[in-house]
Amino acid sequence: MALNNTYDARLVQQETAVGAGVQILLLALIGTAIGMGPAGWATGLAFAIATWAVLSRALHRAGSRTFGPANRVTLGRATLVGGVTALVADSFQDSPPVSLFVGLTAVALILDGVDGKVARRTGTSTALGARFDMEVDAFLILVLSVYVSTAMGPWVLLIGAMRYAFVAAARVWPWLTAPLPPSTARKTVAALQGMLLLVAASAYLPHVVNVGVVALALGLLVWSFGRDVLWLFRAHRATRAVPVTVERRARRELVAS
């Protein structure tokens, strides 16, 4: 049994290593096609190494014996996001081809709706897979907001930074980590962020229209986060109020007796 567990663990680690190798291959193809500079190469390689290291550690801690088909799709998306990240880093020296940038980003966004369906149909949904999917989504939004901010100003960075600010705030107020009820609106707003940022990043529309598109994305995100934070706060306050009510009732019964 121990040998089987070791063998399974090695297979899982091999899949993450293959993912890193594919990421480097994609960077090589992009570099050959557009003559990517040092900044793009360094950022892309750093992304590949960081993804491999963090994912390998998470799989080891979770004791995963198989990588799973849904995680393979998410890893494929992460590879595309690594390519987009390299292009954004390289854009500070030279503008990347719009068609390549839009193509990689669009495929990554489309695949966002695939891994969840694969997980449900194959019965391989896991907390780690959901977290992996969420982190890839969040990082892509951050990268897109960085790219768009170069043309529209630093206010766009609020879109990419909001999720990470929420995570940081949860370190101070742990009640923010409580589970939220399912919400179609939340999922819709999250999906729209990448689409709207990609529309603005493509620069196919007039600048003033793109500003409106990004402002809409930011407004929807503020509304979604604000609604969730308010729900969590009310739930936290209600939870704290219950023990106080029970204690007061117990005291009254004690006095009455």
Side-chain angles (χ1 to χ4, degrees), residues 63-137:
S64 301
R65 299 183 60 183
T66 59
F67 195 65
N71 283 336
R72 293 188 185 100
V73 176
T74 308
L75 185 58
R77 281 202 305 119
T79 301
L80 296 174
V81 172
V84 174
T85 302
L87 288 175
V88 171
D90 194 60
S91 69
F92 288 95
Q93 297 177 340
D94 190 17
S95 298
V98 175
S99 58
L100 178 60
F101 180 83
V102 171
L104 289 177
T105 306
V107 174
L109 291 174
I110 292 171
L111 288 177
D112 184 27
V114 175
D115 45 11
K117 292 181 179 179
V118 171
R120 289 188 293 272
R121 289 182 179 180
T122 58
T124 54
S125 298
T126 63
L128 176 60
R131 180 65 182 273
F132 184 26
D133 176 55
M134 182 174 60
E135 294 299 339
V136 172
D137 292 341

Side-chain angles (χ1 to χ4, degrees), residues 7-19 52-53 55-61 64 67:
Y7 180 69
D8 291 338
R10 287 180 179 178
L11 286 179
V12 171
Q13 297 301 324
Q14 285 174 4
E15 294 213 43
T16 61
V18 169
W52 168 78
L55 183 57
S56 296
R57 182 181 179 185
L59 289 166
H60 177 72
R61 293 180 64 179
S64 301
F67 195 65

Side-chain angles (χ1 to χ4, degrees), residues 183-231:
S183 171
T184 301
R186 185 189 309 119
K187 294 179 180 179
T188 302
V189 170
L192 283 175
Q193 297 305 303
M195 298 177 188
L196 294 176
L197 284 172
L198 180 57
V199 169
S202 65
Y204 291 141
L205 301 176
H207 180 74
V208 65
V209 177
N210 285 330
V211 171
V213 167
V214 177
L216 174 63
L218 178 58
L220 289 172
L221 195 61
V222 170
W223 170 79
S224 181
F225 268 98
R227 188 184 68 156
D228 286 346
V229 169
L230 181 60
W231 189 93

